[in-house]
Every structure is written in structure tokens, then in C-alpha cells.
């Protein structure tokens, strides 16, 4: 009876399970004694049937034994129920403690101040954080189930209601805290990603501008008309490539302006990069225009040299014609020479227009 009337219900789940094991041993022992009680009842019944002179005393003792036996079984049933209830409460406490422990472990990861140093590291951190958020989404069902279990246990175990409510509130507080941490970290990582994306575009564009400047400056001025024409064609191809990058410059500028409008924590750096990008683009266009003028001037010069050479060659040939002392030795030959001279004068007039 001391076992079944014990008020010890355990300090934690392991302790309760130890008490339940001991109680199961007691129940086995109790079941073994039930046969002994039955034997006592059978023997008493036999004595009464034989009209034993102590029949009244026998009945009294039999009733006393049966009453004690029933009382013991009733107390055992109550003790079993109490231990079962204590196990439910302690199992709830353990599940809540384990859940809170997991939440705090993940909370330490989310409290990290590492938001990436470049685009690749930020992307890796975002993937890792999205994995944590998936874990949180899966945990939400468990938190809801534990809260529902807390409500049920408070109804079925009113004596433990206040302690269960404390555990429930502790769980909810930790859950809300990690959800806030997760949202804040995701926002910071997104800010970092947008910044690193902008900086990566900035580096790509400024590197391309440097390469393009080198290409534009690489060509020497031509020494003939064909070379000058090739230079102008190649220079126009460079302009086509510059025009093709206009969307990239526009996109980078819009990304930077969006960061500034959002009050990004790296606004000063973004503003500086936007200025550099704009200056680099302007400098590239100015260089292209300068070289275009130089190439066109080179073309004009080479055309002049070619035309001058053609005129010199023509004049050299005509000078030989004029120095010819043949004045004709007949009317026909003189007329022929006059015809040639008239043709020369027409040609001279045409060349004069080209020269002037």
C-alpha cells in the first residue's frame, strides 16, 4: 500500500519512466497475489458451508481481506493513472526543451554578422539560409502540435496547468524570436546580394571600358587610303560594341539608384561607384569621338596625297607632250597636232577643277 499511495511522480521523463518500471514490477507482484486472495475466499466459503463454529469471524475476516484487496487494486489503478499523466507532462516538457534547444542552435547561425564578401559567397550564404528557412517551415508544424498538446494537458492535468503554460509561452517566445531573426537575416542577405551584384557589374563594366580604350588607342594612323578606310570601318565596329553595352550601363545605373533610394547601408560606396561608372563611360565616348576625328582627318590627308600624286603623274606625262618640238610637216599632220592640243587643253581644264 505504501507503493500505491506514494506521491512521488518524478522530476523528469527519465525519472518517471523509472517509477513506471518499478510500478510495473509491483503490478506483476499484485497479479501473482490475486490467486492467493482467491484461495482465501474459497477456503472461507468451504468453512462457512461446513457451518464452522467461527462462521461469523470467518465472514468478517473474509470481508476485511476482500475490502483491503479491492482498495489496494483501486489505489494501484489511481497510481497508474497518475504516473501515466506525469509521463505525458514530462514528455511534453522534454519535447519543448528539445525544440527550444534546436531553435537556439539555429538562432546562433542566424545571428551571424557574415553577409558575404563577394557575389559567390553571398549566394552561398543565401542558399544556406534558405535551407534553414525550410527547416523552420517544417518545425512550425511541431510548434503548433506542441501548443495544441499544451492546451490538452492543461485541461486533463489542471494541477500542472500553470507549469505547462509557462513552457508553452517559453516555446512561443523562442519561436517568434527565431522567425524575426530569420526574416531580418534574409533581408540583410538580400541587401548584400544586391550590393555585390551591383559591384560585380561595376567591375565588369569598368574592366571592359579599360579594354575598349586600349583597343581604340591601339591602331596607328594609316599611310594610304585603303588603310584609312579600314581604320574607319574598325572604329565604327568599336562604336557598335559600345552601343551594345548601353543596356548594361543603364541596368547598372538603375540598380545603383535603387540601392540609394532604399537607403542601403553602403549608399556612400554605391554613389561613388555610380560616379566612376558615369565618368568612365563619358571618357570612353569622348575618346571614341576624338579618334573618329583623327581617323577622318587621316582619311582626308591620304585622299589629298593620292589626288596630288595622280595630278603630279598626269602633269609629268603632259609636260612631255608639251615639250615635243614636232610642229607637223604637212597640213594634215598640223591639223592632227592641233586636235591633240585641243584635247590636252580640255584635259587641263578638267584637271584644273580637281586641283582647285
Amino acid at each position: 500500500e505504501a507503493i500505491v499511495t506514494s506521491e512521488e511522480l518524478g522530476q523528469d521523463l527519465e525519472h518517471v519512466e523509472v517509477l513506471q518500471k518499478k510500478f510495473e514490477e509491483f503490478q506483476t507482484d499484485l497479479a501473482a497475489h490475486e490467486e492467493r486472495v482467491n484461495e482465501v475466499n474459497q477456503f472461507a466459503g468451504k468453512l462457512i458451508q461446513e457451518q464452522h463454529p467461527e462462521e461469523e469471524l470467518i465472514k468478517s475476516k473474509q470481508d476485511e481481506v476482500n475490502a483491503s484487496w479491492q482498495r489496494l487494486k483501486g489505489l494501484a489503478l489511481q497510481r497508474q493513472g497518475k504516473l501515466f499523466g506525469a509521463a505525458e507532462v514530462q514528455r511534453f516538457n522534454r519535447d519543448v526543451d528539445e525544440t527550444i534547444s534546436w531553435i537556439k542552435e539555429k538562432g546562433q547561425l542566424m545571428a551571424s554578422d557574415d553577409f558575404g564578401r563577394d557575389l559567390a559567397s553571398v549566394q552561398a550564404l543565401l542558399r544556406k539560409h534558405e535551407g534553414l528557412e525550410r527547416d523552420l517551415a517544417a518545425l512550425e508544424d511541431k510548434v503548433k502540435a506542441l501548443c495544441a498538446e499544451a492546451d490538452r494537458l492543461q485541461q486533463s492535468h489542471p494541477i500542472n496547468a500553470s507549469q505547462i503554460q509557462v513552457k508553452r509561452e517559453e516555446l512561443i517566445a523562442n519561436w517568434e524570436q527565431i522567425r524575426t531573426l530569420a526574416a531580418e537575416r534574409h533581408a540583410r542577405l538580400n541587401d548584400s546580394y544586391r550590393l555585390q551584384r551591383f559591384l560585380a557589374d561595376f567591375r565588369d563594366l569598368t574592366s571592359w571600358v579599360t579594354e575598349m580604350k586600349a583597343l581604340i588607342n591601339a591602331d596607328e594612323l594609316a599611310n594610304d587610303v585603303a588603310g584609312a578606310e579600314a581604320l574607319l570601318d574598325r572604329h565604327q565596329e568599336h562604336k557598335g560594341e559600345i552601343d551594345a553595352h548601353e543596356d548594361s550601363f543603364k541596368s547598372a545605373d538603375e540598380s545603383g539608384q535603387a540601392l540609394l533610394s532604399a537607403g542601403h547601408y553602403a549608399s556612400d560606396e554605391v554613389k561613388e561607384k555610380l560616379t566612376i561608372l558615369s565618368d568612365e563611360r563619358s571618357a570612353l565616348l569622348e575618346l571614341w569621338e576624338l579618334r573618329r576625328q583623327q581617323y577622318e582627318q587621316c582619311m582626308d590627308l591620304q585622299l589629298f596625297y593620292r589626288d596630288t600624286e595622280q595630278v603630279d603623274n598626269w602633269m609629268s606625262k603632259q609636260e612631255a607632250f608639251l615639250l615635243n618640238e614636232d610642229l607637223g610637216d604637212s597640213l594634215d599632220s598640223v591639223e592632227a597636232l592641233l586636235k591633240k592640243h585641243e584635247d590636252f587643253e580640255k584635259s587641263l581644264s578638267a584637271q584644273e577643277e580637281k586641283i582647285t
Side-chain angles (χ1 to χ4, degrees):
E1 190 168 321
I3 295 174
V4 295
T5 57
S6 173
E7 294 297 326
E8 185 179 18
L9 296 175
Q11 302 301 315
D12 52 40
L13 184 60
E14 289 73 16
H15 191 190
V16 174
E17 288 174 344
V18 169
L19 293 176
Q20 283 181 314
K21 191 172 187 320
K22 287 182 179 180
F23 186 73
E24 286 171 2
E25 293 172 356
F26 164 76
Q27 284 183 308
T28 301
D29 188 48
L30 189 66
H33 280 77
E34 187 165 13
E35 183 62 30
R36 178 63 177 154
V37 173
N38 289 337
E39 289 175 357
V40 168
N41 279 319
Q42 288 175 2
F43 189 59
K46 181 182 177 183
L47 291 175
I48 293 170
Q49 189 176 8
E50 293 174 352
Q51 297 182 346
H52 193 281
E54 299 292 336
E55 181 179 343
E56 291 301 322
L57 179 61
I58 291 170
K59 284 184 178 180
S60 175
K61 288 294 182 182
Q62 183 184 18
D63 290 343
E64 184 179 335
V65 168
N66 285 330
S68 295
W69 178 248
Q70 292 302 321
R71 180 171 181 275
L72 185 61
K73 287 175 69 175
L75 290 171
L77 193 61
Q78 291 177 17
R79 175 68 176 166
Q80 184 180 33
K82 288 180 180 179
L83 286 173
F84 178 79
E88 278 193 316
V89 173
Q90 293 300 342
R91 190 173 292 108
F92 166 78
N93 289 339
R94 182 202 61 186
D95 290 346
V96 169
D97 289 341
E98 287 179 351
T99 302
I100 290 174
S101 177
W102 186 91
I103 288 174
K104 288 181 176 178
E105 179 186 337
K106 301 304 179 184
Q108 290 178 350
L109 295 175
M110 293 187 184
S112 170
D113 58 358
D114 179 12
F115 299 105
R117 301 168 304 282
D118 52 40
L119 190 59
S121 61
V122 173
Q123 288 173 323
L125 287 172
L126 268 171
R127 286 193 295 271
K128 183 178 180 181
H129 186 73
E130 286 165 358
L132 288 173
E133 288 184 320
R134 285 192 292 273
D135 291 342
L136 283 183
L139 183 67
E140 186 172 9
D141 290 338
K142 185 174 183 180
V143 171
K144 288 180 178 178
L146 285 172
C147 287
E149 178 69 358
D151 293 338
R152 185 187 72 80
L153 291 175
Q154 283 179 295
Q155 293 293 323
S156 59
H157 304 288
I159 193 170
N160 300 112
S162 59
Q163 179 267 323
I164 293 169
Q165 182 62 19
V166 169
K167 277 290 181 187
R168 184 179 187 277
E169 291 174 356
E170 183 182 1
L171 174 64
I172 292 173
N174 279 273
W175 172 244
E176 293 297 335
Q177 183 182 24
I178 198 170
R179 287 181 64 187
T180 301
L181 277 175
E184 289 175 351
R185 180 160 178 78
H186 202 153
R188 287 295 301 273
L189 284 171
N190 278 335
D191 285 345
S192 181
Y193 172 79
R194 291 166 63 204
L195 173 64
Q196 295 301 333
R197 177 75 269 173
F198 167 75
L199 293 177
D201 291 343
F202 167 81
R203 286 190 293 270
D204 289 345
L205 286 171
T206 51
S207 176
W208 173 81
V209 167
T210 300
E211 293 174 3
M212 187 55 63
K213 283 180 178 178
L215 274 176
I216 292 173
N217 279 320
D219 291 322
E220 297 291 338
L221 294 178
N223 294 317
D224 54 41
V225 173
E229 287 177 343
L231 277 178
L232 280 170
D233 288 344
R234 189 155 56 248
H235 195 59
Q236 195 58 42
E237 289 175 2
H238 293 332
K239 185 60 166 63
E241 188 173 351
I242 291 172
D243 290 343
H245 276 73
E246 276 302 301
D247 285 344
S248 297
F249 278 100
K250 182 180 178 182
S251 176
D253 183 72
E254 289 174 351
S255 297
Q257 294 298 339
L259 291 172
L260 295 179
S261 298
H264 196 277
Y265 63 84
S267 290
D268 290 343
E269 182 182 6
V270 172
K271 192 178 298 183
E272 178 189 357
K273 301 298 186 190
L274 283 174
T275 300
I276 293 173
L277 200 58
S278 177
D279 291 346
E280 286 290 307
R281 176 179 171 278
S282 297
L284 177 62
L285 291 172
E286 288 171 5
L287 175 62
W288 185 88
E289 179 60 25
L290 175 63
R291 293 296 279 176
R292 183 192 65 78
Q293 293 174 8
Q294 291 175 344
Y295 291 152
E296 287 187 350
Q297 289 171 354
C298 177
M299 179 63 145
D300 291 341
L301 181 62
Q302 294 305 322
L303 286 171
F304 171 74
Y305 285 156
R306 184 193 65 181
D307 292 345
T308 301
E309 184 178 359
Q310 289 175 349
V311 170
D312 282 343
N313 290 337
W314 180 83
M315 286 191 296
S316 295
K317 291 179 182 178
Q318 299 309 315
E319 188 174 348
F321 169 74
L322 292 173
L323 291 174
N324 188 348
E325 294 182 357
D326 182 12
L327 299 177
D329 54 6
S330 65
L331 180 61
D332 290 340
S333 62
V334 171
E335 287 178 347
L337 288 171
L338 282 170
K339 180 68 171 65
K340 285 184 179 180
H341 194 77
E342 288 173 0
D343 292 341
F344 162 75
E345 286 180 335
K346 289 179 182 178
S347 178
L348 180 64
S349 178
Q351 291 295 330
E352 186 176 8
E353 290 178 7
K354 183 184 289 187
I355 293 171
T356 57

